[in-house]
Amino acid sequence: MQKIQIEGGNILSGNIEISGAKNSAVALIPAAILCDEETTIYNVPAISDRDSLVKIIELLNGKVEIKNDVMHIDSRNIENAFIAEELSTKLRASYYFMGALLSRKKYVEIALPGGCKIGDRKIDFHIKGFKALGAEIIELENRYILKADKLKGSKIYLDFASVGATINIMLAAVKAEGTTVINNAAKEPEIVNVATFLNNMGAKIRGSGTSKITIEGVPYLHKAMIEVIPDRIEAGTYIIIGSLLGQNLHIKNVIKEHLTSLISKLQEIGVSIKANGSDLIINKSDKLKPLNITTLVYPGFPTDLAQPMSVLMTQCEGTSILEETIYTNRVGQIPYLNSMGANIEKENNIIYIKGKTPLYGNDVIASDLRAGASLIIAGLIAEGTTSISEIEHILRGYEHIVEKLTQVGANIKIITEET
Ligand code: EPU
C-alpha cells in the first residue's frame, strides 16, 4: 500500500509549474472520439484519470499515443463496445462517453460512472438532454443503454448549471440535425476549452462561457488540435499552500482571471499575491483574518477549492464559515483535520472553523481527491509526521504533486508499505 508521508513546517520557495486542467482533459479525451479523422491534445496532465480514459478509447477501437504531455488520438475506426464497470467506475468523466458515443455511433452501453463520494451525483439532466435530442434511454440496474435512429437539435433548459450535463449535451448535439440551444448552461472555463476543440474540428458552437450555448449540427468532424487550459483548481491548491508557507513562491502558468474569487478572498484576509504575466508570486501571512465563503458555480467560489480552504481557515484568527451549495456531503477531510487539532463543526451544509489552532501530524485517510489535497496541506503546516493513506484518490487529479512540492522545499515522499 502506498502512502504519502510529510514532515511539516518547511517554508516553501521557488517555482511550481501548473499542469493542464484535469476537468478539461477528462472531457477533451472523450470528445476526441467524435472526430472522423485524428486529433492531438497538448498539455495533457499525467494523472490516473487520463489513463482510465485511454483504456476506454482503446476498448472502442481508437488508437492513442502519448509522448510526454502530448496525446494523439486516431478515432477513424471507432466501434461500439460495452463500457463495463471496471472501466466506468474508475472516474466520473467516463459519462462523457455517453454523449460522445451516442453522437458517433447512435448506441451506447455503459455501466454507471464513478468519481469522488461527495454527496448526491445524479445524471438526470444529462439524460433529459439526450432524450430531448431524440435518444431512447434504457436504465437497467447498473448500466444505461442509449440509442437513437437519428439525433435532432432541440431546446434544452438545465434546472441547474451542471458542468457535466452542459458538456455531455454539447457532445451529443454536435452532429445532430438542426440547432440545439442549451439554456442555463454552465460557464466554467473547461466548457470553453471543450467547445473550442469541437469548433477546431469543424463544429458550430457559439456562446460557450455564457449561459446560452447554441450548437448547429454538422455531419463530419475533421482533424484538429487543442491545448488543455491550465488547471485552476491545481493552481488554487498551491496558492492556498503558498498563503500558509510561501516565501516568494512562484506559481507558474496560471490564467489569473480563472481564479478571481480565490485571489480576492485571500487578499482580503491578508495574503500577499502579486501577478507577473502568467506567474503568481505568493508570500505567506502570519496573521490571517477569518472569512466566510459560499461555493457557487463559476465565476463564484469553486466547490473544488472549498476543502483546501477549510485547512487555511484553521489558521485564521477567529471563526470562519464555509457553506457548500453544490454538493451535499463534501466534508471527508473534517474528521481527520479535527484529529490533527482543528476545531471544526458541521451543521447541515455549513461548517464553522474556529482558529487559530496548531495542527499536529497524524495518520489520516484521503477519502476523496480534494479531501486528500486538504490533508496534504494540513500535513505541510502540522508539527511532526503526517501519513496519508488511500492516496490513489489524490493521484487521480494532481500531476506529480509530491515532486512539485519537494522541488520547493517540502519534506514529502511516497512510501510503500506491506499490507
Ligand atoms: N446534478 C444533478 N443532476 C445532473 C447533474 C448534476 O442533480 O444531471 C447536481 C449534482 O448532484 C451536483 C451538482 O449538480 O450536486 C453539480 O454537478 P455538476 O454536474 O456541475 O458537476 P460534475 O460535472 O459532476 C464537475 C467536476 C467536479 C466539479 C463540478 C463543479 C468533472 C469530471 N468533475 O462535476 O470536479 O466539482 O463539475 O464544478 O469535471 C473535482 O475535480 O474534484 C470535482 C469533483
Side-chain angles (χ1 to χ4, degrees):
M1 184 176 46
Q2 287 198 315
K3 289 186 174 181
I4 289 180
Q5 192 173 298
I6 306 167
E7 296 294 329
N10 288 11
I11 291 296
L12 306 181
S13 53
N15 297 330
I16 294 182
E17 188 83 35
I18 296 308
S19 305
K22 168 182 94 79
N23 288 344
S24 263
V26 299
L28 291 168
I29 297 169
I33 70 156
L34 281 169
C35 180
D36 297 285
E37 299 177 6
E38 294 170 58
T39 48
T40 307
I41 310 177
Y42 294 91
N43 199 30
V44 180
I47 51 177
S48 61
D49 272 8
R50 172 198 72 178
D51 304 330
S52 305
L53 292 167
V54 167
K55 284 196 187 120
I56 298 179
I57 294 198
E58 287 171 345
L59 170 82
L60 303 173
N61 203 35
K63 292 196 172 43
V64 181
E65 275 172 31
I66 302 174
K67 235 190 204 162
N68 302 318
D69 62 355
V70 182
M71 183 183 277
H72 184 77
I73 301 162
D74 178 351
S75 48
R76 282 175 298 179
N77 301 312
I78 287 293
E79 284 171 9
N80 242 313
F82 171 46
I83 303 172
E85 204 177 321
E86 62 267 24
L87 290 174
S88 73
T89 54
K90 283 275 187 300
L91 74 170
R92 190 84 198 142
S94 55
Y95 61 26
Y96 289 132
F97 285 101
M98 288 180 155
L101 261 186
L102 184 63
S103 171
R104 180 83 198 255
K105 302 304 280 185
K106 309 282 181 292
Y107 186 88
V108 191
E109 194 170 348
I110 186 168
L112 303 179
C116 290
K117 292 189 175 52
I118 50 182
D120 237 3
R121 298 188 82 178
K122 293 200 285 267
I123 55 167
D124 49 334
F125 307 148
H126 305 231
I127 298 296
K128 179 181 154 188
F130 299 145
K131 277 189 184 155
L133 295 171
E136 181 193 346
I137 317 285
I138 302 166
E139 197 177 335
L140 301 169
E141 198 186 323
N142 57 356
R143 71 199 147 118
Y144 283 94
I145 296 174
L146 286 67
K147 51 184 172 183
D149 293 332
K150 66 174 179 188
L151 296 169
K152 262 188 103 178
S154 180
K155 260 197 180 163
I156 296 157
Y157 172 80
L158 297 179
D159 293 318
F160 176 81
S162 150
V163 173
T166 302
I167 292 179
N168 231 342
I169 295 168
M170 216 160 70
L171 296 177
V174 98
K175 285 178 168 176
E177 256 176 41
T179 304
T180 298
V181 179
I182 309 175
N183 280 308
N184 196 29
K187 296 184 280 203
E188 271 70 0
E190 291 75 21
I191 291 163
V192 181
N193 208 190
V194 177
T196 307
F197 186 33
L198 294 170
N199 282 343
N200 290 351
M201 295 181 207
K204 290 188 174 161
I205 303 174
R206 280 178 290 122
S208 67
T210 77
S211 56
K212 182 178 173 185
I213 299 180
T214 306
I215 306 149
E216 233 180 275
V218 296
Y220 188 87
L221 294 175
H222 56 70
K223 191 172 166 155
M225 59 174 87
I226 188 73
E227 182 172 359
V228 183
I229 56 171
D231 195 319
R232 63 195 169 96
I233 307 302
E234 186 201 19
T237 305
Y238 291 121
I239 292 169
I240 292 169
I241 292 174
S243 306
L244 294 162
L245 294 163
Q247 209 168 67
N248 274 325
L249 184 67
H250 286 238
I251 318 284
K252 300 183 81 69
N253 186 31
V254 175
I255 300 177
K256 62 177 187 301
E257 291 74 15
H258 290 173
L259 283 155
T260 306
S261 56
L262 174 73
I263 293 171
S264 312
K265 280 287 178 187
L266 290 173
Q267 285 174 332
E268 272 171 32
I269 62 165
V271 179
S272 157
I273 303 179
K274 295 203 175 77
N276 181 11
S278 60
D279 284 11
L280 290 176
I281 303 148
I282 323 286
N283 277 291
K284 78 182 179 90
S285 164
D286 290 325
K287 204 166 163 51
L288 294 169
K289 291 185 230 156
L291 73 162
N292 295 351
I293 285 177
T294 303
T295 62
L296 290 169
V297 296
Y298 188 83
F301 195 92
T303 167
D304 299 338
L305 288 174
Q307 288 166 295
M309 272 307 268
S310 69
V311 185
L312 179 129
M313 286 166 154
T314 69
Q315 303 308 302
C316 297
E317 313 217 348
T319 300
S320 296
I321 302 173
L322 181 52
E323 184 179 3
E324 169 60 51
T325 70
I326 311 291
Y327 292 108
T328 48
N329 197 24
R330 203 166 200 183
V331 286
Q333 79 286 14
I334 293 179
Y336 298 108
L337 292 179
N338 281 341
S339 79
M340 296 173 76
N343 182 350
I344 307 179
E345 278 175 18
K346 177 177 176 297
E347 253 177 55
N348 302 317
N349 63 333
I350 303 183
I351 64 170
Y352 299 87
I353 302 164
K354 286 202 188 110
K356 171 181 184 176
T357 49
L359 299 185
Y360 301 97
N362 205 349
D363 289 353
V364 292
I365 299 171
S367 58
D368 61 79
L369 170 62
R370 308 299 171 191
S374 311
L375 295 174
I376 289 185
I377 303 173
L380 291 170
I381 59 174
E383 193 184 315
T385 309
T386 297
S387 180
I388 308 173
S389 48
E390 299 194 14
I391 63 169
E392 60 282 3
H393 291 295
I394 302 173
L395 304 179
R396 274 192 41 220
Y398 285 91
E399 182 182 52
H400 304 144
I401 186 163
V402 168
E403 294 82 349
K404 287 184 187 188
L405 286 168
T406 303
Q407 198 182 306
V408 293
N411 188 343
I412 179 171
K413 60 184 175 200
I414 294 186
I415 55 167
T416 306
E417 279 182 2
E418 303 267 324
T419 44

